[in-house]
Amino acid sequence: PRVWRRRGSQHSGVWAHPIGQLEKGCLLVEVPKKSSVKSDGAKTKSSGTSQNGQGRRVIFLVENDKQHGSYGLILNQPTPCSIGDFTERLPHFADSKIHFGGEGHRAMEGRGPNRELHAIHPYPSLAGAEQVLDGVCVGADLRQASVFAGKKMVNPRAFKFFYSASCWGAGQLEQELEEGQWVAAACSKELILKESSYWEKPLWQVVLEVMGGKHGLLCRELCDEL
């Protein structure tokens, strides 16, 4: 796998490679439905993302169930809000930024969107934690985690918080993947746990470049459109 190096820090190797089907714990990188380059070399406008490309979502797929659907968390949409803006009960997370995880479950049969606070972190021993990948967990008893942070048993900076999630019905995400709306990748935990601001380029670009090959070429093509 290609090694991505971040300027100005100790070299840290991360990896990512394409996968042919959805897997729990994979990354989804949002791309145009069709290639934006015509056969004559002329470029067409991409659809589904913001004009400047910064809005291309990178989603950590937390669950993928053929019967009940899928859900994940957008890794690269931080908000101006922090945990301390909403509660004083988690003092050791007061400065932790809250990310926008997605639109939640669309209103169905009179039910409103699912708006919950989600957390990812590397501590499987915490109460309520579910290990999705080796070194990457979802959920926790946040009061316990805050107490542990006060005792230096966990690092509060290792937690990422998300308001709401990105959700798909049964078979919906598979169809979007088949249509080319997403690139699916297995990856190292650093790409999931590090803040998107850690990288010197947008996260979607980092992931595609680390994947290399045709995905590196796709990254160049998308960057040319900016």
Side-chain angles (χ1 to χ4, degrees):
R2 179 177 176 178
V3 174
W4 176 267
R5 292 189 171 99
R6 182 178 186 265
R7 191 189 316 134
S9 68
Q10 184 178 2
H11 291 171
S12 299
V14 299
W15 59 268
H17 64 78
I19 54 178
Q21 58 185 12
L22 296 172
E23 297 177 359
K24 183 176 179 178
C26 74
L27 287 187
L28 299 170
V29 181
E30 186 176 27
V31 295
K33 292 184 180 180
K34 302 291 183 182
S35 172
S36 60
V37 179
K38 294 181 178 179
S39 58
D40 60 2
K43 296 195 185 293
T44 61
K45 289 185 179 179
S46 302
S47 61
T49 56
S50 64
Q51 289 293 326
N52 63 12
Q54 295 292 332
R56 297 189 193 283
R57 293 169 292 173
V58 179
I59 294 180
F60 173 50
L61 189 62
V62 177
E63 189 62 68
N64 183 52
D65 187 281
K66 291 184 178 180
Q67 290 186 333
H68 301 101
S70 311
Y71 91 91
L73 302 167
I74 304 174
L75 296 176
N76 57 335
Q77 289 192 5
T79 74
C81 302
S82 301
I83 293 294
D85 295 331
F86 298 96
T87 181
E88 298 178 353
R89 297 180 179 181
L90 302 171
H92 297 287
F93 294 118
D95 295 329
S96 298
K97 289 292 182 185
I98 298 175
H99 299 71
F100 178 66
E103 294 290 343
H105 295 291
R106 294 293 187 179
M108 296 176 63
E109 300 177 358
R111 294 179 297 173
N114 177 15
R115 303 294 194 186
E116 298 178 349
L117 184 67
H118 304 264
I120 61 175
H121 56 85
Y123 301 110
S125 61
L126 287 175
E130 176 191 351
Q131 185 161 281
V132 180
L133 293 173
D134 185 22
V136 182
C137 301
V138 174
D141 180 329
L142 294 181
R143 292 190 183 183
Q144 180 199 60
S146 185
V147 170
F148 284 3
K151 295 178 179 180
K152 310 297 185 185
M153 297 170 64
V154 300
N155 181 2
R157 295 184 180 276
F159 289 73
K160 289 175 72 173
F161 295 95
F162 302 84
Y163 171 67
S164 194
S166 300
C167 304
W168 294 266
Q172 182 182 356
L173 183 55
E174 285 82 358
Q175 181 177 349
E176 291 182 7
L177 184 67
E178 187 175 339
E179 291 172 352
Q181 296 184 42
W182 305 96
V183 167
C187 72
S188 58
K189 63 183 180 182
E190 291 84 0
L191 288 170
I192 300 166
L193 293 175
K194 294 286 188 186
E195 288 287 348
S196 57
S197 58
Y198 172 85
W199 310 102
E200 62 185 14
K201 298 181 181 181
L203 184 58
W204 65 266
Q205 190 174 341
V206 173
V207 176
L208 292 178
E209 288 189 359
V210 170
M211 292 172 73
K214 67 178 183 181
H215 297 94
L217 294 176
L218 172 63
C219 180
R220 253 201 249 166
E221 175 187 316
L222 296 177
C223 288
D224 286 345
E225 296 175 358
L226 301 183

